[in-house]
Amino acid sequence: MENVLRPLLVLGGSPAITLLVGWLVDLLLRRADSRHHETPVWGLLRLCRPPLQVVLCTALLRASFGQLRLETVREHRPGISQTLTLVLIAASAWLVIRVAATVVQSSYARYATGTRDPARVRRVRTQVTLIQRVVTAVVATVAVAAMLLTFPAMRTVGTSMLASAGVLGIVAGVAAQSTLGNLFAGFQIAFGDMVRIGDTVVVDGEWGTVEEITLTFLAVRTWDERRITMPVSYFTSKPFENWSRGGVQMTGTVFLQLDHSAPIPAMRDKLRDILGECAAWDGRDWSLAVTDTTPSTIQVRAVVTAKDADDIWTVRCAVREQLIGWLRDHHPYALPRIVTSPAALPPGDHWRELTGAEQVGTSANGWAADQDKAPRTGRG
């Protein structure tokens, strides 16, 4: 009877205790979360219940495993013990990573809620993300090393590796020079506040938003939903544009190539009307001026402002589209063109337009008059 009850108590009691403890912990966390709405830490800690239950169940099985007195178990005792140890190490690492992630995310959530500066929020988010990745990498490395050291053969290998650690360190440093450079560049970006998650940047002529920053690479999401993956060392060794530094407000320009007869004062009035109806314009500033001229056209520049990079793009497109449409419908003479016929004069101009026939006639009459005035020579 004892040979039956003992395995049932060991194999059934450990999961039962694990489920009971998990239920009690979840109940306490739910009550704490309902009482303290200002902090999300209690709700996030509930995500740690699965690894906690695995750790608890494995530890109970590992501790009570010796109480099983079955012949089959005795024959495979070393293998079962080794398996439980490996599972316990892995589950412990899982639990530590979940707890660290919970603490980091709750701290960031509280900071983001109490801070109104978006730039500081993005900076803290970048630092928190990299810290979380570092903790995950360190814990995973330690867990894998601990699991390998549970094998007797790996202990011997480890001793021999320590004996030649100096040579291996030099070789690894030379071989992983680029990787180590990216690693340190990642820390420099995170704590040097060079670029942050959510910043609008221009790299290699591509405009986009920083979507992800790791210890080795950085992902930029472009306006057309492409992802550009670049090593983080690029941002510490080459110049790039960060439109989110020093505030997100931006000034944009719209250039138009027009005819010399373009009605500039009327264009200023129309630009003011267009901006008044554009929701993306922030109302800070606007202007319109002739900035350059060529023998055939003039360059007109419209300056507009907006609260961020997305809105400045919208304002520029709206101004360009509506100004050209207004000129096309009301002042077509102002648009540049190749003259193949006598040009239309602007409204209100009282100059007399000479047609091609009149010009030819004038030239012919003038030539005839000159012929009449010329002295006649010759016979007869």
Side-chain angles (χ1 to χ4, degrees), residues 113-174:
T113 303
T115 305
R116 297 182 179 180
D117 189 356
R120 291 185 177 181
V121 173
R122 290 198 302 269
R123 180 181 61 187
V124 173
R125 180 185 175 188
T126 302
Q127 295 175 353
V128 162
T129 302
L130 290 179
I131 290 174
Q132 183 176 346
R133 293 181 185 276
V134 170
V135 171
T136 302
V138 171
V139 173
T141 303
V142 173
V144 171
M147 293 171 69
L148 292 176
L149 290 178
T150 58
F151 297 93
M154 294 303 297
R155 296 176 185 175
T156 305
V157 174
T159 303
S160 61
M161 289 177 62
L162 289 176
S164 57
V167 178
L168 291 176
I170 296 175
V171 174
V174 174

Side-chain angles (χ1 to χ4, degrees), residues 360-372:
V360 172
T362 302
S363 300
N365 294 334
W367 178 81
D370 292 340
Q371 291 297 321
D372 291 338

Side-chain angles (χ1 to χ4, degrees), residues 329-350:
D329 297 337
H330 298 86
H331 303 277
Y333 58 87
L335 298 177
R337 66 191 63 194
I338 299 175
V339 179
T340 59
S341 63
L345 295 178
D349 198 331
H350 301 290

Side-chain angles (χ1 to χ4, degrees), residues 33 37-45 47 98-114 124 128 132:
D33 187 32
H37 296 285
E38 69 280 1
T39 174
V41 64
W42 304 111
L44 292 174
L45 280 176
L47 299 176
R98 276 290 182 88
V99 172
T102 297
V103 174
V104 168
Q105 291 177 8
S106 62
S107 301
Y108 167 72
R110 293 184 63 182
Y111 183 84
T113 303
V124 173
V128 162
Q132 183 176 346

Side-chain angles (χ1 to χ4, degrees), residues 154-273:
M154 294 303 297
R155 296 176 185 175
T156 305
V157 174
T159 303
S160 61
M161 289 177 62
L162 289 176
S164 57
V167 178
L168 291 176
I170 296 175
V171 174
V174 174
Q177 183 178 3
S178 177
T179 302
L180 293 176
N182 285 328
L183 182 64
F184 289 113
F187 283 107
Q188 186 177 354
I189 286 178
F191 298 98
D193 199 24
M194 299 176 58
V195 62
R196 300 154 298 198
I197 296 176
D199 281 3
T200 301
V201 297
V202 178
V203 290
D204 285 344
E206 295 284 352
W207 177 87
T209 304
V210 178
E211 188 175 50
E212 183 181 6
I213 298 179
T214 68
L215 294 178
T216 56
F217 71 90
L218 186 147
V220 177
R221 178 174 54 85
T222 61
W223 64 273
D224 54 355
E225 302 299 331
R226 290 180 293 117
R227 266 68 176 179
I228 302 177
T229 302
M230 312 182 70
V232 292
S233 59
Y234 176 91
F235 294 87
T236 58
S237 59
K238 296 182 180 181
F240 65 95
E241 296 183 27
N242 190 340
W243 292 3
S244 300
R245 295 282 297 179
V248 296
Q249 295 178 342
M250 296 197 66
T251 299
T253 57
V254 177
F255 290 96
L256 300 175
Q257 299 293 332
L258 302 176
D259 189 80
H260 290 82
S261 59
I264 303 301
M267 290 181 63
R268 289 194 181 97
D269 296 338
K270 183 60 179 179
L271 176 60
R272 182 175 59 248
D273 296 339

Side-chain angles (χ1 to χ4, degrees), residues 23 25-35 42 46:
W23 178 78
V25 169
D26 186 68
L27 179 61
L28 294 176
L29 291 177
R30 280 187 294 177
R31 290 185 176 179
D33 187 32
S34 62
R35 294 178 180 178
W42 304 111
R46 296 181 61 191

